[in-house]
Amino acid sequence: MQQSELDFVNNLRQSSPYIEAHQGKTIVIYIPSELLSLDSEEDERLFQLAKDVVLLNHLGMKTVITLGVELQLNEAFERDHLTWETHFNCRVTTKEHLKTFVETIGQARAQIESEFTEACSEEQSTLTIISGNWVTARPKGIIQGIDFQHTGALRKINHEAIARSLSIGQVVLLTPLTYSLTGEMFNLNSLEQAFSVAKALEADKLMIFSSPESLVDLPKQMSMSQLNALNTQTSEPKQKRLLSLIQSTHSKIKRIHLLDQNEPGAILLELFTRDGVGTMIFTDRYHHIRPATFEDVSGILMLIAPLEEEGILVKRSREKLELEIENFVVIARDDHIIGCAALYPMDEQSAEMACLAIDPAYQGQSLGEELLQAIEKQAMQNRFQNLFLLTTHTDHWFIEHGFKKAQVAELPEKKQSLYNYQRQSKVLVKALKA
Ligand SMILES: CC(C)(COP(=O)(O)OP(=O)(O)OC[C@H]1O[C@@H](n2cnc3c(N)ncnc32)[C@H](O)[C@@H]1OP(=O)(O)O)[C@@H](O)C(=O)NCCC(=O)NCCS
């Protein structure tokens, strides 16, 4: 088998749990105006994204797209010699703007429909993309003396009707053009609309494409409390706008993913690879994995004490733990330690994993697996080829996670001499692949 074929098989194997996990899930995708390039011959980003959405649909996911048209509107207004005002980061849409606004939305819709039609034909899919009047608006009103006229605020979402379209396999497209119950037209902020629709549909994920500047230095994962802290520190205006919007509207959306609009295939990499390529914001489970610090010693001791009592873990004194704290990683939920594991170098090739524990209240949520993966990653980064461990109760769990039984004689010499024959621990080993 050639290397490229092997890579394909391995990649397919690695993504299969994610394919299963995402089946039947609803995602809302926000596409900013930058992706609706004026020159689609030159810029393939929207076409590639359309192909990715077709693939998601093939894999059983339901997709709603909300479309931003800010750049296209700027250009059309300038072309038609129309000026506009912006207050509080929001464009005032006047009666004079409406004709150009409606035309621009029509063009954007036509562009996205044509890209989808081509993508479906290439992917041999019968998928259709539809838009409609599911979202009703009301005037944004007069704020601090400024009348926003035809700039709207969201009034109601007919989410049952959207869900019906999704259930028969259609992709739903929402644009900023919305109507009031009296039939007036309104320009609605499409990013805000994306949040509201995700909430109303109880979507599993909201995926936001954004500019690299607004994503600069964001971590791979963050809890809402980390996001709040970051928002007070950042000086990048685009990032501040994005984070503030998430802060004010995140409730009821389980996961928010921020993706770079210039990264090809970002949505697939984010959904179907372990590490993803964007930033995932947890709004429900506030946990994250990080290296342990001296302040975590008490939390780790509380976590492992009952397991030491039961003889599942070897006893560690506070002093020993303090000395070895740099070997530990922890899972913290807010400030509470709910999981830990340690990595000890044995010789040049091998390291030992020890002291893996998850708070019983949080077991069965794959946190143990996440910690194991973090330790394996760390071991690989340090160029170890084998990961050993000794266990008295948990060999089956480790075997299910790729470990194999080994003999005491296979342990590095240094470790063999320390092996406690009274404990009769089982020796397990996993070969690490770069
Ligand atoms: C082993 C441990 C870390 C797993 O953490 P976790 O977050 O619950 O793990 P996951 O959610 O990834 O896996 C849960 C699965 O492992 C199974 N499992 C838990 N302990 C197990 C054991 N000792 N042997 C076999 N399977 C076990 C659970 O039944 C569950 O199976 P299911 O998904 O079929 O219901 C956790 O159970 C723990 O802290 N155990 C006590 C400490 C320990 O044994 N540490 C190892 C020291 S060497």
Side-chain angles (χ1 to χ4, degrees), residues 241-259:
R241 250 173 86 183
L242 182 61
L243 297 185
S244 302
L245 186 64
I246 298 172
Q247 238 177 340
S248 59
T249 43
H250 73 274
S251 76
K252 285 201 184 159
I253 306 172
K254 292 174 203 150
R255 298 277 188 280
I256 300 168
H257 298 252
L258 307 179
L259 303 171

Side-chain angles (χ1 to χ4, degrees), residues 353 356 367-369 372 394-403:
M353 186 179 82
L356 172 69
L367 297 180
E369 192 177 309
L372 173 61
T394 322
D395 51 328
H396 281 201
W397 189 88
F398 287 112
I399 287 166
E400 281 167 25
H401 288 82
F403 283 80

Side-chain angles (χ1 to χ4, degrees), residues 361-403:
Y362 297 96
Q363 286 180 9
Q365 298 177 27
S366 302
L367 297 180
E369 192 177 309
E370 276 183 50
L371 260 183
L372 173 61
Q373 285 169 355
I375 288 284
E376 283 177 13
K377 200 168 160 186
Q378 199 179 321
M380 282 191 277
Q381 279 163 357
N382 291 319
R383 305 198 181 282
F384 291 114
Q385 286 160 19
N386 298 307
L387 191 61
F388 278 93
L389 62 89
L390 301 179
T391 180
T392 48
H393 291 67
T394 322
D395 51 328
H396 281 201
W397 189 88
F398 287 112
I399 287 166
E400 281 167 25
H401 288 82
F403 283 80

